[in-house]
Short mmCIF file of all heavy atoms in Angstrom, two decimals:
data_model
loop_
_atom_site.label_atom_id
_atom_site.label_comp_id
_atom_site.label_asym_id
_atom_site.label_seq_id
_atom_site.Cartn_x
_atom_site.Cartn_y
_atom_site.Cartn_z
N VAL A 1 -6.83 13.12 8.40
CA VAL A 1 -5.84 13.39 7.37
C VAL A 1 -4.51 12.82 7.64
O VAL A 1 -3.88 12.15 6.87
CB VAL A 1 -5.73 14.92 6.99
CG1 VAL A 1 -4.64 15.23 6.07
CG2 VAL A 1 -7.07 15.45 6.53
N LEU A 2 -4.10 12.97 8.85
CA LEU A 2 -2.81 12.36 9.30
C LEU A 2 -2.87 10.86 9.31
O LEU A 2 -1.82 10.18 8.89
CB LEU A 2 -2.38 12.87 10.73
CG LEU A 2 -1.99 14.32 10.80
CD1 LEU A 2 -1.80 14.67 12.30
CD2 LEU A 2 -0.76 14.63 10.02
N MET A 3 -3.99 10.26 9.64
CA MET A 3 -4.19 8.85 9.61
C MET A 3 -4.10 8.30 8.19
O MET A 3 -3.48 7.28 7.94
CB MET A 3 -5.48 8.41 10.31
CG MET A 3 -5.58 6.93 10.45
SD MET A 3 -7.23 6.45 11.06
CE MET A 3 -8.24 6.86 9.74
N ILE A 4 -4.74 9.01 7.24
CA ILE A 4 -4.74 8.60 5.90
C ILE A 4 -3.30 8.64 5.34
O ILE A 4 -2.87 7.78 4.65
CB ILE A 4 -5.66 9.47 5.03
CG1 ILE A 4 -7.14 9.20 5.46
CG2 ILE A 4 -5.46 9.26 3.50
CD1 ILE A 4 -7.59 7.76 5.21
N TRP A 5 -2.55 9.71 5.76
CA TRP A 5 -1.15 9.76 5.34
C TRP A 5 -0.35 8.63 5.83
O TRP A 5 0.42 8.00 5.12
CB TRP A 5 -0.53 11.10 5.84
CG TRP A 5 0.89 11.16 5.69
CD1 TRP A 5 1.65 11.45 4.56
CD2 TRP A 5 1.87 10.81 6.68
NE1 TRP A 5 2.98 11.38 4.75
CE2 TRP A 5 3.18 10.99 6.08
CE3 TRP A 5 1.83 10.43 8.00
CZ2 TRP A 5 4.29 10.72 6.81
CZ3 TRP A 5 3.00 10.19 8.69
CH2 TRP A 5 4.24 10.36 8.08
N PHE A 6 -0.62 8.26 7.19
CA PHE A 6 0.13 7.14 7.77
C PHE A 6 -0.22 5.86 7.09
O PHE A 6 0.68 5.01 6.76
CB PHE A 6 -0.37 7.07 9.29
CG PHE A 6 0.20 5.81 9.92
CD1 PHE A 6 1.47 5.69 10.24
CD2 PHE A 6 -0.70 4.83 10.30
CE1 PHE A 6 1.98 4.52 10.88
CE2 PHE A 6 -0.27 3.70 10.94
CZ PHE A 6 1.06 3.57 11.25
N LEU A 7 -1.46 5.63 6.79
CA LEU A 7 -1.92 4.39 6.11
C LEU A 7 -1.31 4.29 4.70
O LEU A 7 -0.91 3.28 4.20
CB LEU A 7 -3.38 4.22 6.05
CG LEU A 7 -4.10 3.94 7.41
CD1 LEU A 7 -5.59 4.04 7.28
CD2 LEU A 7 -3.56 2.70 8.10
N ALA A 8 -1.43 5.48 3.94
CA ALA A 8 -1.00 5.45 2.58
C ALA A 8 0.54 5.35 2.40
O ALA A 8 1.09 4.66 1.64
CB ALA A 8 -1.46 6.77 1.91
N TYR A 9 1.33 6.08 3.18
CA TYR A 9 2.74 6.14 3.01
C TYR A 9 3.53 5.22 3.90
O TYR A 9 4.41 4.56 3.49
CB TYR A 9 3.27 7.60 3.04
CG TYR A 9 2.70 8.37 1.86
CD1 TYR A 9 1.69 9.24 2.05
CD2 TYR A 9 3.15 8.22 0.62
CE1 TYR A 9 1.08 10.01 1.02
CE2 TYR A 9 2.66 8.89 -0.40
CZ TYR A 9 1.58 9.77 -0.23
OH TYR A 9 1.07 10.50 -1.29
N LYS A 10 3.26 5.26 5.21
CA LYS A 10 3.98 4.48 6.16
C LYS A 10 3.68 2.98 6.12
O LYS A 10 4.44 2.15 6.24
CB LYS A 10 3.87 5.01 7.59
CG LYS A 10 4.47 6.41 7.79
CD LYS A 10 5.89 6.38 7.56
CE LYS A 10 6.47 7.76 7.74
NZ LYS A 10 7.88 7.84 7.34
N MET A 11 2.33 2.72 5.98
CA MET A 11 1.92 1.33 5.80
C MET A 11 1.92 0.85 4.35
O MET A 11 1.59 -0.30 4.13
CB MET A 11 0.47 1.20 6.39
CG MET A 11 0.39 1.35 7.86
SD MET A 11 1.34 0.18 8.83
CE MET A 11 0.54 -1.32 8.39
N GLU A 12 2.26 1.69 3.47
CA GLU A 12 2.40 1.45 2.04
C GLU A 12 1.10 0.87 1.40
O GLU A 12 1.17 -0.04 0.54
CB GLU A 12 3.57 0.56 1.83
CG GLU A 12 4.86 1.14 2.21
CD GLU A 12 6.06 0.20 2.01
OE1 GLU A 12 5.90 -0.97 1.51
OE2 GLU A 12 7.21 0.58 2.22
N LEU A 13 -0.06 1.38 1.77
CA LEU A 13 -1.28 0.94 1.19
C LEU A 13 -1.55 1.65 -0.07
O LEU A 13 -2.54 1.27 -0.78
CB LEU A 13 -2.46 1.19 2.18
CG LEU A 13 -2.40 0.30 3.49
CD1 LEU A 13 -3.56 0.62 4.35
CD2 LEU A 13 -2.40 -1.11 3.10
N SER A 14 -0.71 2.68 -0.45
CA SER A 14 -1.01 3.38 -1.72
C SER A 14 -0.04 2.98 -2.77
O SER A 14 0.00 3.56 -3.87
CB SER A 14 -0.86 4.87 -1.45
OG SER A 14 0.42 5.27 -1.08
N THR A 15 0.86 1.95 -2.45
CA THR A 15 1.86 1.58 -3.43
C THR A 15 1.42 0.27 -4.15
O THR A 15 0.74 -0.49 -3.57
CB THR A 15 3.23 1.39 -2.77
OG1 THR A 15 3.09 0.38 -1.73
CG2 THR A 15 3.67 2.69 -2.19
N ALA A 16 2.00 0.07 -5.31
CA ALA A 16 1.67 -1.12 -6.03
C ALA A 16 2.42 -2.30 -5.32
O ALA A 16 3.47 -2.15 -4.69
CB ALA A 16 2.16 -1.06 -7.45
N PRO A 17 1.87 -3.50 -5.35
CA PRO A 17 2.57 -4.69 -4.72
C PRO A 17 3.93 -4.84 -5.42
O PRO A 17 4.19 -4.65 -6.63
CB PRO A 17 1.68 -5.84 -4.99
CG PRO A 17 0.71 -5.41 -5.98
CD PRO A 17 0.71 -4.00 -6.04
N SER A 18 4.86 -5.31 -4.53
CA SER A 18 6.25 -5.52 -5.10
C SER A 18 6.41 -6.82 -5.84
O SER A 18 7.30 -7.00 -6.69
CB SER A 18 7.28 -5.59 -3.95
OG SER A 18 6.92 -6.60 -3.00
N ARG A 19 5.48 -7.80 -5.67
CA ARG A 19 5.51 -8.99 -6.48
C ARG A 19 4.46 -9.00 -7.44
O ARG A 19 3.47 -8.23 -7.46
CB ARG A 19 5.36 -10.22 -5.54
CG ARG A 19 4.20 -10.28 -4.73
CD ARG A 19 4.14 -11.41 -3.78
NE ARG A 19 3.07 -11.23 -2.84
CZ ARG A 19 2.02 -12.05 -2.94
NH1 ARG A 19 1.96 -13.03 -3.79
NH2 ARG A 19 0.98 -11.87 -2.05
N THR A 20 4.62 -9.89 -8.51
CA THR A 20 3.60 -9.90 -9.58
C THR A 20 2.36 -10.66 -9.10
O THR A 20 2.38 -11.63 -8.46
CB THR A 20 4.26 -10.70 -10.74
OG1 THR A 20 5.45 -10.02 -11.10
CG2 THR A 20 3.30 -10.72 -11.92
N VAL A 21 1.20 -10.04 -9.48
CA VAL A 21 -0.04 -10.70 -9.18
C VAL A 21 -0.44 -11.65 -10.23
O VAL A 21 -0.49 -11.19 -11.48
CB VAL A 21 -1.18 -9.60 -8.93
CG1 VAL A 21 -2.43 -10.26 -8.68
CG2 VAL A 21 -0.71 -8.68 -7.76
N GLU A 22 -0.66 -12.83 -9.95
CA GLU A 22 -0.96 -13.84 -11.05
C GLU A 22 -2.45 -14.07 -11.08
O GLU A 22 -3.18 -14.21 -10.01
CB GLU A 22 -0.36 -15.15 -10.74
CG GLU A 22 1.16 -15.09 -10.70
CD GLU A 22 1.84 -16.40 -10.32
OE1 GLU A 22 1.08 -17.48 -10.37
OE2 GLU A 22 3.01 -16.42 -9.89
N PHE A 23 -3.03 -14.02 -12.29
CA PHE A 23 -4.43 -14.27 -12.56
C PHE A 23 -4.61 -15.68 -13.12
O PHE A 23 -3.90 -16.09 -14.01
CB PHE A 23 -5.00 -13.22 -13.53
CG PHE A 23 -4.94 -11.88 -12.98
CD1 PHE A 23 -3.97 -11.04 -13.35
CD2 PHE A 23 -5.85 -11.41 -12.08
CE1 PHE A 23 -3.82 -9.74 -12.87
CE2 PHE A 23 -5.87 -10.16 -11.54
CZ PHE A 23 -4.77 -9.29 -11.90
N HIS A 24 -5.56 -16.45 -12.60
CA HIS A 24 -5.82 -17.80 -13.05
C HIS A 24 -7.12 -17.77 -13.84
O HIS A 24 -8.10 -17.27 -13.34
CB HIS A 24 -5.91 -18.71 -11.86
CG HIS A 24 -4.62 -18.82 -11.08
ND1 HIS A 24 -3.51 -19.45 -11.50
CD2 HIS A 24 -4.34 -18.32 -9.85
CE1 HIS A 24 -2.58 -19.36 -10.58
NE2 HIS A 24 -3.06 -18.64 -9.54
#
C-alpha cells in the first residue's frame, strides 16, 4: 500500500501528463 502511494503520488503515475498528447 505504501509502495502504491509512492508510485501514484511521489512518482506522479496517477496524474495526467503536463503536455498535450497528440494523436496521428
